[in-house]
Amino acid sequence: MPAKANYSMARLERCFVVAGYGHWNQTISHRYVRDFRQQIVPLLNGSWCCLLDIRYWRVSTADSWQSLADNTRWCLANGLVKTFVWHDNDSMVLWNLHKVTTGAVERLQGNIIYSENINNLLQQIADAGFCSLEVLQQYDGFK
């Protein structure tokens, strides 16, 4: 696992990139939601997508799920129209992601794209018009 904080965030045009690291508890989840909402503000005047990098994220404690699920619903109410998930096919992590997005996945109605291939996701984000492929490819968080 990279030596980083519990998460990183970046705005790339109309794409918000989030990477999670390690195990999360309620304290980390609350801090994440606070930071997320502060950094997402410039995108709230229209539709946007989120690229979640969960390759290094691990199972969260049950007490963290509610704030993360609430944040997912908040995102949908504030312009999130598509989510791209970069994963390493860890079934426990994917199950955990499902737990923290309960009630929101259904509202995205198929607009969640899962892939182990970052280049595939970046191309889809660019094709959908959320961010230019050049900007996405230059972002060092995908290396």
Side-chain angles (χ1 to χ4, degrees):
M1 181 174 78
K4 297 185 179 185
N6 298 104
Y7 51 86
S8 62
M9 301 176 185
R11 286 186 313 273
L12 304 176
E13 296 177 9
R14 306 232 27 100
C15 179
F16 197 65
V17 179
V18 176
Y21 309 101
H23 298 273
W24 288 20
N25 58 29
Q26 187 177 35
T27 301
I28 295 167
S29 296
H30 284 300
R31 187 173 62 237
Y32 164 81
V33 169
R34 181 200 65 217
D35 293 349
F36 183 101
R37 291 185 185 185
Q38 288 174 350
Q39 292 190 35
I40 197 73
V41 169
L43 297 181
L44 296 182
N45 62 353
S47 62
W48 53 279
C49 77
C50 187
L51 172 57
L52 299 175
D53 177 356
I54 61 170
R55 294 169 304 139
Y56 303 106
W57 187 49
R58 295 300 162 242
V59 177
S60 301
T61 58
D63 64 356
S64 69
W65 296 348
Q66 188 61 51
S67 62
L68 295 172
D70 290 346
N71 193 58
T72 303
R73 286 187 290 278
W74 180 89
C75 289
L76 289 167
N78 285 281
L80 175 66
V81 295
K82 198 164 200 119
T83 299
F84 300 86
V85 180
W86 186 16
H87 65 91
D88 63 359
N89 206 24
D90 182 323
S91 60
M92 284 302 295
V93 172
L94 291 169
W95 173 84
N96 197 72
L97 180 65
H98 176 74
K99 294 302 282 184
V100 303
T101 57
T102 299
V105 173
E106 297 80 13
R107 289 180 54 196
L108 279 170
Q109 299 175 350
N111 286 314
I112 299 179
I113 310 299
Y114 296 88
S115 182
E116 297 173 56
N117 182 329
I118 188 59
N119 293 320
N120 175 293
L121 293 173
L122 299 181
Q123 187 64 58
Q124 289 187 61
I125 291 167
D127 290 349
F130 292 110
C131 187
S132 71
L133 188 57
E134 295 75 23
V135 168
L136 291 165
Q137 290 172 333
Q138 290 173 4
Y139 178 61
D140 65 357
F142 300 138
K143 295 178 171 92

